[in-house]
Amino acid sequence: MYRPPPSSLALDTKRSRVHWLAVVRRLALSALATGAVCAAAMTAALVLGDGMPWSGAAPQVLAAGAAGALVFAAVLSTSTVVSAARTARRYGLTFRP
């Protein structure tokens, strides 16, 4: 199994940032769907469980949906870029946009 030298283990931050933004762009639709599911679950909990009116639940639901979408996109994008960089290093390829 090929192991790169320790000096090449650091990611090139500029290239990684470009790849990360490209992955975020590709994940936008699925992140939006995840945010909608989080918002729907929170709406059900607040309106059906606590008896809160829709108008009172809306700001909290939107915040929860946005937070869920951002976390989803950030975690998946970061893990995808790190995995791609490791794979490129393993095979001696350059990690370019």
Side-chain angles (χ1 to χ4, degrees):
M1 176 184 211
Y2 171 73
R3 291 218 175 243
S7 62
S8 69
L9 291 177
L11 288 174
D12 182 1
T13 57
K14 185 176 181 182
R15 288 183 183 155
S16 295
R17 190 176 319 127
V18 171
H19 283 287
W20 191 84
L21 290 173
V23 173
V24 168
R25 188 186 69 219
R26 290 184 187 112
L27 285 174
L29 188 59
S30 56
L32 219 79
T34 301
V37 168
C38 289
M42 182 120 180
T43 301
L46 290 176
V47 173
L48 300 175
D50 292 345
M52 184 180 279
W54 287 94
S55 60
Q60 295 174 5
V61 167
L62 291 174
L70 286 174
V71 167
F72 177 83
V75 168
L76 241 56
S77 298
T78 302
S79 67
T80 301
V81 169
V82 169
S83 175
R86 285 181 182 162
T87 302
R89 274 195 311 267
R90 179 177 297 144
Y91 293 106
L93 303 171
T94 56
F95 192 51
R96 293 186 184 170

